[in-house]
C-alpha cells in the first residue's frame, strides 16, 4: 500500500512564539499519478521555542490516504487468437465455439472474467478489431457459412424476429406434432459441429440465449459490423441499378420487337 502522509511536530516551550515551516511535495510526473502511485509526504513543522529553557514535549501525528498498487487485470494486454485459428483450421468447431466464448469473456473486461459470462452491456468494451478478427476467422474457415456477420444478415432478413432467426440458423428444431411447433436444441448433443451440406447457414458460433437475447442483439449492433452493413447496402443499390438498367434495356428491345412496323402487305 502506498501512503500519502501529513506529518506535524509540535514543540512546546515556556514562551509562546510559533514558527511554521511547510515543505512542498516532491515533484512527480503524470505517469506517477496514474500508473505507479508514489510515497508522497507533505511535512509541516510547528515549533514553539523559548530562549530561557531547553525542555520541550513533542507530539507527532499523521493523516494518511491509502492507495492501491495492485495492477488491474483489465490492462490492455495482447489477446491471442491463435488457438481459435487452430481449432477452425482443423474443423474442430465445438472447440472453436468454446474458445470463442472464452475470448468474449476476456475481451469484455474484468467483471465478465470474474463472473464467467458476458452481460449485454459489456459488449461495448470489446474492440472493433478484436470482434472483426473473431468473425473473419469463422468466415474464412467455413466458406462464409459461419460467423457473427453472417448471422446478422440472417437476423435482418428475418425482420429481426429472434424466433424466426433461431429456426433459420438451426438453433431450434421442429417437433413431431400435428401442429407446427419448435423447441430449443439440447446443448451440446443436438447442435451440429461439422460443416456439410445439411449444416444451416449461420449455425455457429453459438450464443447463449437462455438469459435473454440482448447479448446477441448487442453483438449484431456492434460498430465492428457497421461497415459491412454499409457495404452490403451499397452492393444492393448497385445491384438494383444494374437490374433496372437491364430491365429498361430488355423492355426497350421488347418494345422494338412488338412494335416493329410491318410494311409488307
Amino acid at each position: 500500500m502506498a501512503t500519502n502522509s501529513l506529518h506535524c511536530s509540535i514543540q512546546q516551550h515556556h514562551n509562546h512564539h510559533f514558527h511554521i515551516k511547510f515543505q512542498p511535495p516532491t515533484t512527480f510526473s503524470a505517469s506517477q499519478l496514474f500508473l505507479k502511485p508514489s510515497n508522497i509526504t507533505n511535512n509541516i513543522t510547528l515549533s514553539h521555542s523559548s530562549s530561557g529553557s531547553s525542555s520541550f514535549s513533542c507530539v507527532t501525528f499523521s493523516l494518511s490516504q491509502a492507495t492501491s498498487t495492485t495492477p488491474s487485470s483489465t490492462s490492455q494486454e495482447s489477446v491471442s487468437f491463435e488457438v481459435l485459428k487452430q481449432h477452425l483450421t482443423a474443423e474442430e468447431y465445438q472447440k472453436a465455439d468454446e474458445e470463442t466464448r472464452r475470448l468474449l469473456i476476456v475481451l469484455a473486461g474484468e467483471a465478465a472474467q470474474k463472473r464467467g459470462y458476458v452481460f449485454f452491456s459489456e459488449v461495448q468494451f470489446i474492440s472493433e478489431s478484436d470482434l472483426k478478427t473473431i468473425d473473419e476467422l469463422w468466415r474464412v474457415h467455413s466458406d462464409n457459412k459461419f460467423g457473427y456477420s453472417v448471422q446478422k444478415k440472417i437476423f435482418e432478413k428475418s425482420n429481426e424476429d429472434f424466433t424466426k432467426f433461431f429456426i433459420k440458423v438451426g438453433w431450434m428444431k421442429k417437433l413431431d406434432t400435428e401442429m407446427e411447433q419448435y423447441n430449443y436444441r439440447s446443448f451440446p448433443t443436438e447442435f451440429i459441429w461439422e460443416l456439410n451440406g445439411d449444416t444451416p447457414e449461420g449455425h455457429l458460433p453459438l450464443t447463449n440465449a437462455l438469459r435473454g437475447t440482448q447479448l446477441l442483439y448487442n453483438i449484431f449492433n456492434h460498430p465492428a459490423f457497421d461497415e459491412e452493413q454499409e457495404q452490403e447496402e451499397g452492393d444492393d443499390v448497385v445491384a438494383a441499378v444494374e437490374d433496372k438498367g437491364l430491365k429498361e434495356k430488355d423492355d426497350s428491345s421488347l418494345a422494338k420487337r412488338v412494335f416493329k412496323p410491318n410494311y409488307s402487305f
Side-chain angles (χ1 to χ4, degrees):
M1 303 288 287
T3 303
N4 297 338
S5 301
L6 178 64
H7 295 282
C8 293
S9 295
I10 302 177
Q11 295 179 340
Q12 185 177 0
H13 298 266
H14 295 291
N15 294 332
H16 298 282
H17 183 69
F18 293 91
H19 299 281
I20 301 176
K21 181 181 178 182
F22 174 71
Q23 180 178 342
T26 305
T27 304
F28 47 87
S29 65
S31 62
Q32 288 177 308
L33 271 176
F34 297 100
L35 298 180
K36 296 180 180 179
S38 305
N39 289 330
I40 304 167
T41 303
N42 296 336
N43 293 322
I44 298 177
T45 302
L46 303 178
S47 60
H48 179 193
S49 61
S50 173
S51 58
S53 174
S54 60
S55 63
F56 65 88
S57 61
C58 180
V59 179
T60 303
F61 65 92
S62 65
L63 179 64
S64 303
Q65 180 179 1
T67 55
S68 174
T69 57
T70 304
S72 172
S73 61
T74 57
S75 58
Q76 295 296 325
E77 299 177 356
S78 177
V79 177
S80 173
F81 300 94
E82 187 60 31
V83 175
L84 176 60
K85 182 179 179 181
Q86 291 174 2
H87 290 322
L88 289 171
T89 302
E91 298 185 355
E92 298 172 336
Y93 292 112
Q94 186 170 357
K95 291 182 179 179
D97 185 71
E98 293 171 357
E99 176 63 10
T100 299
R101 190 175 300 108
R102 187 195 70 83
L103 285 171
L104 291 182
I105 293 172
V106 171
L107 295 170
E110 184 178 5
Q113 295 171 35
K114 290 180 178 179
R115 190 186 314 114
Y117 57 88
V118 182
F119 277 155
F120 72 91
S121 58
E122 294 168 332
V123 174
Q124 61 181 316
F125 302 137
I126 304 175
S127 71
E128 292 183 32
S129 60
D130 288 336
L131 200 53
K132 280 183 176 180
T133 299
I134 294 174
D135 180 64
E136 183 178 356
L137 285 171
W138 275 99
R139 288 189 292 106
V140 166
H141 295 283
S142 66
D143 196 21
N144 288 316
K145 198 166 187 176
F146 297 150
Y148 290 123
S149 59
V150 176
Q151 293 173 348
K152 180 179 180 179
K153 292 176 184 178
I154 299 173
F155 179 63
E156 290 173 344
K157 290 179 181 178
S158 303
N159 296 321
E160 298 193 357
D161 184 311
F162 274 105
T163 301
K164 293 179 181 178
F165 168 76
F166 290 159
I167 293 173
K168 285 187 176 181
V169 298
W171 292 359
M172 298 182 76
K173 61 179 181 180
K174 188 176 181 180
L175 300 178
D176 187 15
T177 56
E178 294 182 0
M179 296 180 61
E180 189 177 61
Q181 292 180 321
Y182 292 84
N183 197 7
Y184 289 103
R185 291 183 182 272
S186 250
F187 179 86
T189 55
E190 292 187 346
F191 285 89
I192 304 171
W193 302 109
E194 56 187 14
L195 183 62
N196 54 45
D198 297 328
T199 308
E201 184 181 13
H203 190 68
L204 297 173
L206 302 180
T207 302
N208 191 346
L210 295 179
R211 287 185 292 272
T213 56
Q214 288 182 305
L215 174 61
L216 188 57
Y217 183 82
N218 278 266
I219 291 176
F220 289 162
N221 287 276
H222 193 281
F225 305 122
D226 287 347
E227 184 179 339
E228 293 187 5
Q229 183 176 2
E230 292 174 1
Q231 180 65 37
E232 183 182 359
E233 291 174 354
D235 293 342
D236 290 342
V237 171
V238 171
V241 171
E242 291 177 349
D243 289 344
K244 183 178 180 182
L246 290 173
K247 187 176 184 300
E248 290 176 349
K249 183 178 180 180
D250 292 341
D251 290 346
S252 176
S253 300
L254 178 62
K256 289 179 181 179
R257 291 197 301 271
V258 173
F259 298 103
K260 182 179 181 180
N262 186 357
Y263 297 106
S264 59
F265 295 97

